[in-house]
Amino acid sequence: MSGKIKGGKGAPYARVLGVGGYRPTRVVPNEEILRHIDSSDEWIRSRSGIVTRHWAGEDETVTEMSLAAAGKALADAGIEAERIGAVVVSTVSHFRQTPGVAAEIAHRLGAGRPAAFDISAACAGFGYGLTLAKGMIVEGSAEYVLVLGVERLSDMTDLQDRTTAFLFGDGAGAAVVGPSEEPGIGPTVWGSEGDKFDTIGQTVPWDAYRQGPVEKFPALRQEGQTVFRWAVFEMAKVAQQALDAAGITAAELDVFIPHQANMRIIDSLAKTLKLPDHVAVARDIETTGNTSAASIPLAMERMLATGQAKSGDTALVIGFGAGLVYAATVVTLP
């Protein structure tokens, strides 16, 4: 006789309960970047909106930055580390292929024996992590999930590459996701366009080292105009689909938190979506740069800390990047 598999006993819904962030202490102005490339502060600002970015010091590792951000998120949520049932870390700049950094972070936090794994979804990674966390909570395999986006992109920046030298920053952002009696994380619109996989990527694959000395350490490169057009035109459609899936209109939003890739992309998305003036738009890129998986939670934390957003606000978040991959959803802010 065949048995019947029982379903999980999870919460009816999930929501973000707390956020935290960590920005390295070293602030790098455009002037420092200009020592390496033939450009100008005006050009960098006009092309990207970036004025400064944070670069990690020797002791500000992926793990240490994650622990700092996670500690703040747990405190913000009022949840002890022992109650975390899963740790999901999105990063492309943890250079040890295995083990994943998530297990070390879970251990260092004192989280017991949670599920722990890394994901590689670049700038969409935080959205991917939120979606996985929501599924675990509703399914019942975890009561609380810690989602982290963390990067040390300064390690992968070619300071002689005029197209990317000014873009990237370091940092970590964290969110605690837990059970809710009402929907707090909407349906996710996510996907990939693998035919464009080579528009953003690593210059040298790790296995190249098997063939002999490599002239330069692997760095990030991108086809800027192709990525810009894709983000502006295609991601506006995805953002609208996320609003539709959540059953709300742009006028009902309080906050818009897109991936902090480029100020012109952010402004174009806001314009295409016809966001009303009352919608607060995250522009954290000005002083943080592009931190890939960390950019959305870092921007979210800053908006809440500065009063640009408040607890209970409805926010549209969308991440997009290397793959090319994307993820958008509507969340209630903690």
Side-chain angles (χ1 to χ4, degrees):
M1 180 185 294
S2 60
K4 291 184 178 180
I5 298 173
K6 293 183 179 180
K9 296 181 179 180
Y13 305 105
R15 65 168 293 165
V16 179
L17 301 176
V19 293
Y22 180 83
R23 291 173 171 82
T25 56
R26 181 185 173 195
V27 176
V28 179
N30 288 339
E31 287 74 14
E32 185 168 337
I33 305 297
L34 294 173
R35 299 173 190 168
H36 306 278
I37 58 173
D38 180 17
S39 187
S40 69
D41 177 60
E42 180 183 5
W43 187 88
I44 293 174
R45 293 187 189 218
S46 65
R47 299 286 291 185
S48 68
I50 299 172
V51 178
T52 60
R53 73 285 291 146
H54 295 257
W55 282 357
E58 183 178 347
D59 296 333
E60 292 169 312
T61 64
V62 164
T63 300
E64 296 302 330
M65 291 192 294
S66 296
L67 290 170
K72 292 179 181 179
L74 289 166
D76 190 43
I79 301 296
E80 296 179 351
E82 293 87 347
R83 302 184 68 184
I84 295 295
V87 177
V88 182
V89 179
S90 178
T91 183
V92 299
S93 49
H94 173 60
F95 295 144
R96 179 176 292 180
Q97 191 72 32
T98 190
V101 73
E104 179 187 4
I105 292 168
H107 172 68
R108 294 275 302 278
L109 283 173
R113 299 173 64 185
F117 56 95
D118 297 0
I119 57 176
S120 179
C123 310
F126 183 73
Y128 275 50
L130 281 184
T131 304
L132 294 171
K134 173 185 172 182
M136 285 184 270
I137 291 161
V138 173
E139 186 271 338
S141 59
E143 185 179 12
Y144 298 99
V145 179
L146 176 65
V147 179
L148 280 152
V150 55
E151 303 290 4
R152 270 185 58 122
L153 297 183
S154 59
D155 291 337
M156 301 185 72
T157 297
D158 181 354
L159 289 176
Q160 277 70 51
D161 183 349
R162 187 174 183 271
T163 65
T164 60
F166 57 90
L167 284 176
F168 302 116
D170 303 336
V176 175
V177 183
S180 174
E181 293 299 318
E182 298 180 353
I185 301 174
T188 300
V189 177
W190 57 354
S192 64
E193 295 189 28
D195 59 317
K196 303 177 183 66
F197 78 96
D198 60 351
T199 56
I200 306 175
Q202 186 173 312
T203 53
V204 181
W206 297 120
D207 59 3
Y209 285 87
R210 288 181 177 271
Q211 312 305 320
V214 175
E215 183 178 349
K216 281 188 175 183
F217 189 80
L220 293 174
R221 53 159 293 278
Q222 68 174 355
E223 296 176 14
Q225 287 302 313
T226 300
V227 173
F228 181 88
R229 288 193 296 269
W230 174 78
V232 167
F233 295 109
E234 297 303 320
M235 291 306 98
K237 300 174 187 176
V238 171
Q240 184 60 56
Q241 290 168 10
L243 289 174
D244 295 342
I248 68 171
T249 66
E252 294 174 294
L253 276 179
D254 300 303
V255 185
F256 179 44
I257 312 177
H259 164 49
Q260 303 294 291
N262 182 296
M263 192 75 80
R264 292 191 298 157
I265 293 175
I266 294 168
D267 291 341
S268 179
L269 289 174
K271 181 178 180 181
T272 303
L273 290 169
K274 298 179 180 179
L275 297 181
D277 291 341
H278 76 264
V279 177
V281 179
R283 293 186 172 88
D284 193 45
I285 188 171
E286 181 178 10
T287 57
T288 306
N290 180 343
T291 57
S292 188
S295 80
I296 289 175
L298 280 173
M300 185 182 293
E301 185 214 31
R302 175 162 282 175
M303 294 187 83
L304 288 165
T306 59
Q308 296 176 71
K310 63 182 184 302
S311 174
D313 277 354
T314 299
L316 170 63
V317 299
I318 178 169
F320 43 85
L324 293 171
V325 296
Y326 56 87
T329 188
V330 175
V331 303
T332 302
L333 296 182

